[in-house]
Amino acid sequence: MSLKARWNHYLSHDAPPFVQFVKYGLAGGLATATHVLTFFLVGFLLFPCVTPEDPLVKLFGLHAPDVVDELRARYAIYSNVVAFFVSNTVCYLANRWFVFKPGRHHVVIEFLLFLAVSAVSMAVGTTLMGVLIQRFGMQTTYAFGANILSSLAINYVMRKFFVFQG
């Protein structure tokens, strides 16, 4: 097989499982970057959920108001919901075009299932994030990282086996 043919095979929906996982990671990286950017933009501009002690505030020398943990937890959840819809649209398109073989379901059903799987993982991750902030006083950035990691694990398995054709 020529190099060009091998490359085209890797880019296709019939790529070997390891290559598919790498492509999933790239699509997920794009979606995660979109989610993080949206989360923090919303968390700074609409629902202030980042404190002056937050590592990102210190790293970038930003100004953030002092917000009590209960309100900060609620605002972090609001910010996460907004980021969910933005990043999941990006993620769905990347997975459909680049990673998984579409066609198990009609495109509308497929997108709704994709969102449903994401909603379950977001509910688990967001609950974890809220608890880590409210009960343990964890900084938003660290709690958000726990949210992202738990969502990643749930999403891959559910999307591969229930939403797309594998």
Side-chain angles (χ1 to χ4, degrees):
M1 180 183 281
S2 72
L3 184 59
K4 183 178 180 180
R6 184 177 302 264
W7 182 254
N8 287 336
H9 177 66
Y10 288 158
L11 292 178
S12 77
H13 291 291
D14 296 321
F18 177 74
V19 174
Q20 183 186 47
F21 188 75
V22 169
K23 291 182 348 179
Y24 180 79
L26 293 172
L30 174 65
T32 300
T34 301
H35 193 102
V36 169
L37 180 63
T38 304
F39 175 84
F40 282 105
L41 282 174
V42 172
F44 271 101
L45 301 175
L46 295 177
F47 302 112
C49 65
V50 183
T51 67
E53 295 81 31
D54 194 273
L56 286 180
V57 171
K58 289 180 176 183
L59 178 67
F60 293 111
L62 302 171
H63 172 72
D66 276 321
V67 181
V68 297
D69 285 349
E70 183 178 326
L71 185 59
R72 190 166 59 92
R74 186 174 345 157
Y75 281 175
I77 290 168
Y78 295 166
S79 298
N80 204 45
V81 169
V82 172
F84 168 83
F85 286 106
V86 174
S87 67
N88 270 276
T89 300
V90 169
C91 191
Y92 171 74
L93 294 172
N95 276 278
R96 186 172 192 355
W97 293 334
F98 185 60
V99 181
F100 297 116
K101 191 181 296 182
R104 177 176 280 179
H105 309 283
H106 183 276
V107 67
V108 173
I109 300 299
E110 185 178 80
F111 183 65
L112 292 174
L113 286 171
F114 188 91
L115 287 178
V117 165
S118 296
V120 168
S121 71
M122 186 188 94
V124 170
T126 301
T127 300
L128 175 64
M129 179 178 64
V131 167
L132 291 173
I133 291 171
Q134 190 170 2
R135 298 254 171 102
F136 299 102
M138 184 179 279
Q139 288 300 321
T140 303
T141 297
Y142 298 131
F144 184 66
N147 168 24
I148 294 290
L149 291 175
S150 65
S151 293
L152 175 69
I154 295 167
N155 281 331
Y156 179 75
V157 171
M158 297 298 288
R159 289 172 181 161
K160 180 167 179 66
F161 296 108
F162 295 108
V163 176
F164 296 106
Q165 291 189 37

